[in-house]
Amino acid sequence: MARWIVSRLEDVPGTPAARVSEAGTERTALMSRLTAALAEALTSEEVVQAVASHVLPPFGADGLIVWVMESGRQRVVGSAGYMRDFVHLMDGIPIADYPVAADVLRARRPWFVESLEDYYRHYPALKDVAAASHKQSWAFLPMIASRHTVGVCVISFTRPHGFSDEERALLTTLCSLIGQALERARLYDVEHARAQGLQRSLLPRTLPCLPAASTAARYLPAGRGEQIGGDWYDVIPLSADRVAMVVGDVMGHGIPEAATMGQLRTAVRTLADLDMSPDELLSRLNDLVSDLGEDSYATCLYAVFDPITRICAFSSAGHPPPVIVHPDGVVEMPDLAADPPLGAAVPPFEVHELLLPAESLLVLCTDGLVESPDQGLDRGLSVLQQILAQRAAPVFTAQNESDSIRRLDDLCDTVVSALLPRYGETIDDAVLLIAHTRATDAGDVATCILPEDPRAARQARAFVRERLDAWGLDELAVTTELLASELVGNVIRHAEGPIRLRLLNSRSLTCEVYDGSLSTPRIRHAAYTDEGGRGLQLVSALSRRWGARYLRDGKCIWTEQDIPHRAT
């Protein structure tokens, strides 16, 4: 490449026919390193860094500004050796207001300024701009690519500098190389921005802070390339303060994998809203992945934490197991047999249940966080457990909800920094999700067993009045009595026992009625002459939301009401 540049100098107007000096040859050889650096540069920022590293030192320059034309204005792509205020001053000004740039762009030829006097002589109105730059010599180089000028590269010196014919010719040649590299990088920047926008739209914008869990997460795309992939995470609130957490990994990375990830995340949210058990949810997800084609595979772990029972039930399809951190610093990870990924698995999936402490950390991740060419999965998980044992303690001493989230964020950063110290060189996407789980206080839960006869509705109303009075929620008593009476009456008329009523006093008031039937409740369109059929319409009208979830031995119909002084 150095020889190619030297040969090009012979065709540059004003270049002496004599052989390039030995110093010039050495300088040209240094410039060949620039071409290699530009070839590796992906982004506009990397192009500017390459120019600053490989062009400024050989010429003894100490300033660089690279800007491009956008809608008649100059936008600074990057700089080196300038005060931030000056760069901000030059960014976005109309080209017509900066005649130096306008003239260089119009002529498409470089302009070399060897002193302030030379600058003032040509542009006396720009004295303030020259003084603010704290420079005394400049090379204004038009960057040309695909036969059009994309912008200007300004190389400057703090002291006066005389440009030799050799320097002028070499800089003139190099500015076209820089222009071509910058044009390519700008195209990459546009595609990268689109890819990042797609990725952001497919992942949660924010994570909910729920009574049962505060959460924090990190998504880290592969360090080079499109920086978009198929890893995802989500936190989904369920009824009765339960919370679902999911992490998944579509094999491969790129826009097609991200699109597949979006489909799976949407499907998980839809299925979770139906209150499916973890094994059934993964079975449905497996069918979806199988329908995408023979080459489509994904790993996934779906977990549901119940703060009342403290049981975390989860199913996994080829995914790393969860890690649990106890308040005393003990870290454990269940020893699970490896499961095939979605698309290759044969349901049913196994449901694993963990009894968590009253307070704990539940850590979920994808293999990109713990596995690399230099480190196997088992070793990576072992390192993850060591880091958590050493650095997780501050989360358990958080003063409030916001403090808990802040400390979870800090812990996420600590884990990522330790496991991915050379993140920019990673070849796989990575996800980390940490949940600070909390058990429900026993005093906020009340349960009543009811008889399987018409007396049950009356007993349910009495139980509701008594419990809400103890909780100081008398203002909700009438509505809750009506909801409980209607739900219990439906069981007496259409289902079967045993009947159980449970109230949960949390950020909202939850009323649940359990029975032994698997029949599906549905809202009917009752005629004016019908004596019944309006019960669930009434339930829907009186509650913020309601639904049903199915258990091994029956179902639960639940309602939620806002608590006025706790409504957000």
Side-chain angles (χ1 to χ4, degrees):
M1 181 60 71
R3 291 181 180 178
W4 178 82
I5 294 177
V6 173
S7 67
R8 287 291 303 275
L9 295 180
E10 298 176 358
D11 299 327
V12 177
T15 303
R19 296 182 61 187
V20 179
S21 65
E22 181 179 347
T25 303
E26 180 181 352
R27 188 170 287 163
T28 303
L30 291 174
M31 292 303 98
S32 68
R33 301 174 186 172
L34 171 65
T35 63
L38 291 177
E40 294 181 359
L42 285 178
T43 66
S44 299
E45 182 181 353
E46 291 178 357
V47 169
V48 174
Q49 292 173 352
V51 175
S53 299
H54 297 279
V55 175
L56 300 189
F59 289 91
D62 53 18
L64 172 70
I65 291 183
V66 177
W67 58 265
V68 296
M69 292 187 296
E70 284 188 357
S71 302
R73 295 177 178 270
Q74 61 180 42
R75 184 179 69 81
V76 176
V77 175
S79 66
Y82 281 92
M83 299 293 291
R84 182 179 302 175
D85 291 343
F86 179 77
V87 175
H88 181 71
L89 172 68
M90 302 302 292
D91 190 19
I93 66 173
I95 293 175
D97 293 347
Y98 190 44
V100 177
D103 291 348
V104 169
L105 291 172
R106 186 182 306 110
R108 298 179 59 151
R109 297 185 63 180
W111 183 46
F112 299 95
V113 185
E114 297 185 342
S115 66
L116 281 173
E117 291 74 16
D118 190 14
Y119 190 100
Y120 294 160
R121 185 169 56 254
H122 286 83
Y123 300 100
L126 297 179
K127 285 186 177 181
D128 292 341
V129 175
S133 70
H134 301 292
K135 306 296 181 183
Q136 298 193 40
S137 296
W138 297 264
F140 293 90
L141 309 172
M143 297 180 295
I144 301 173
S146 304
R147 298 184 179 181
H148 69 277
T149 307
V150 297
V152 176
C153 174
V154 183
I155 295 173
S156 57
F157 304 77
T158 302
R159 297 182 179 182
H161 179 84
F163 294 91
S164 67
D165 291 340
E166 182 184 321
E167 288 178 327
R168 292 174 184 242
L170 186 56
L171 287 172
T172 301
T173 301
L174 290 174
C175 70
S176 64
L177 298 177
I178 298 170
Q180 293 170 13
L182 186 62
E183 183 74 354
R184 171 176 50 80
R186 291 182 68 203
L187 292 174
Y188 170 84
D189 289 340
V190 170
E191 292 302 319
H192 177 57
R194 290 174 180 170
Q196 284 191 319
L198 173 62
Q199 189 79 66
R200 284 192 296 268
S201 69
L202 295 176
L203 292 173
R205 293 181 180 271
T206 58
L207 291 177
C209 191
L210 305 170
S214 302
T215 55
R218 293 292 183 272
Y219 168 78
L220 301 128
R224 300 282 287 184
E226 292 177 330
Q227 294 200 345
I228 183 171
D231 287 24
W232 90 94
Y233 62 90
D234 211 346
V235 176
I236 307 168
L238 303 176
S239 61
D241 280 356
R242 294 172 307 125
V243 55
M245 291 161 280
V246 58
V247 291
D249 179 3
V250 177
M251 295 185 182
H253 52 273
I255 291 179
E257 286 73 17
T260 300
M261 175 267 284
Q263 290 180 276
L264 297 183
R265 178 173 176 250
T266 301
V268 169
R269 276 202 159 257
T270 301
L271 297 173
D273 194 51
L274 298 175
D275 253 323
M276 286 188 175
S277 61
D279 57 332
E280 185 178 358
L281 186 143
L282 287 192
S283 294
R284 300 288 185 90
L285 214 59
N286 184 68
D287 293 339
L288 175 59
V289 175
S290 298
D291 290 342
L292 294 176
E294 296 181 356
D295 296 332
S296 296
Y297 301 100
T299 67
C300 184
L301 188 147
Y302 180 80
V304 175
F305 172 65
D306 187 336
I308 297 177
T309 63
R310 294 191 289 119
I311 291 177
C312 177
F314 68 93
S315 292
S316 172
H319 206 82
V323 177
I324 299 92
V325 184
H326 295 244
D328 59 3
V330 173
V331 179
E332 62 175 323
M333 182 180 69
D335 184 14
L336 306 178
D339 296 312
L342 300 172
V346 179
F349 291 90
E350 185 174 355
V351 177
H352 309 276
E353 292 188 347
L354 302 173
L355 180 62
L356 301 186
E359 190 178 7
S360 69
L361 296 185
L362 185 65
V363 183
L364 311 178
C365 67
T366 59
D367 59 0
L369 182 72
V370 292
E371 188 176 32
S372 68
D374 302 326
Q375 179 175 264
L377 178 63
D378 291 340
R379 172 60 181 164
L381 289 172
S382 177
V383 173
L384 172 61
Q385 294 179 72
Q386 294 174 14
I387 298 168
L388 293 171
Q390 297 169 1
R391 305 300 295 272
V395 177
F396 294 104
T397 59
Q399 300 299 312
N400 50 47
E401 199 171 85
S402 60
D403 189 31
S404 174
I405 295 175
R406 181 183 62 80
R407 298 190 185 198
L408 284 173
D409 278 326
D410 291 342
L411 181 59
C412 283
D413 291 337
T414 298
V415 171
V416 169
S417 298
L419 288 172
L420 299 176
R422 296 181 297 173
Y423 161 62
E425 303 175 16
T426 57
I427 60 174
D428 195 9
D429 312 309
V431 157
L432 171 66
L433 173 63
I434 303 180
H436 181 194
T437 63
R438 297 175 290 270
T440 300
D441 189 288
D444 290 328
V445 183
T447 303
C448 175
I449 304 298
L450 299 173
E452 299 179 41
D453 58 51
R455 294 176 302 166
R458 185 178 71 251
Q459 293 184 17
R461 290 193 295 271
F463 177 77
V464 167
R465 284 195 303 272
E466 177 186 352
R467 181 44 49 189
L468 294 191
D469 178 66
W471 285 339
L473 300 177
D474 300 280
E475 54 194 316
L476 295 178
V478 174
T479 302
T480 309
E481 283 183 48
L482 188 55
L483 288 170
S485 179
E486 187 61 44
L487 294 179
V488 170
N490 280 345
V491 173
I492 298 299
R493 289 189 295 269
H494 306 295
E496 59 187 31
I499 307 174
R500 179 163 57 97
L501 171 65
R502 188 172 75 170
L503 299 176
L504 171 61
N505 176 23
S506 184
R507 292 182 183 176
S508 59
L509 178 63
T510 301
C511 176
E512 299 177 318
V513 173
Y514 294 79
D515 64 59
S517 170
L518 295 176
S519 60
T520 302
R522 59 186 180 88
I523 296 179
R524 293 173 52 194
H525 295 283
Y528 289 110
T529 57
D530 290 346
E531 295 183 1
R534 300 179 180 84
L536 291 181
Q537 293 181 9
L538 182 63
V539 169
S540 179
L542 294 178
S543 56
R544 182 182 68 182
R545 63 173 188 151
W546 72 280
R549 64 177 184 270
Y550 296 90
L551 314 171
R552 295 175 182 175
D553 55 354
K555 68 177 182 295
C556 166
I557 310 296
W558 55 268
T559 67
E560 285 184 3
Q561 301 172 76
D562 287 324
I563 297 177
H565 59 277
R566 301 180 196 173
T568 57

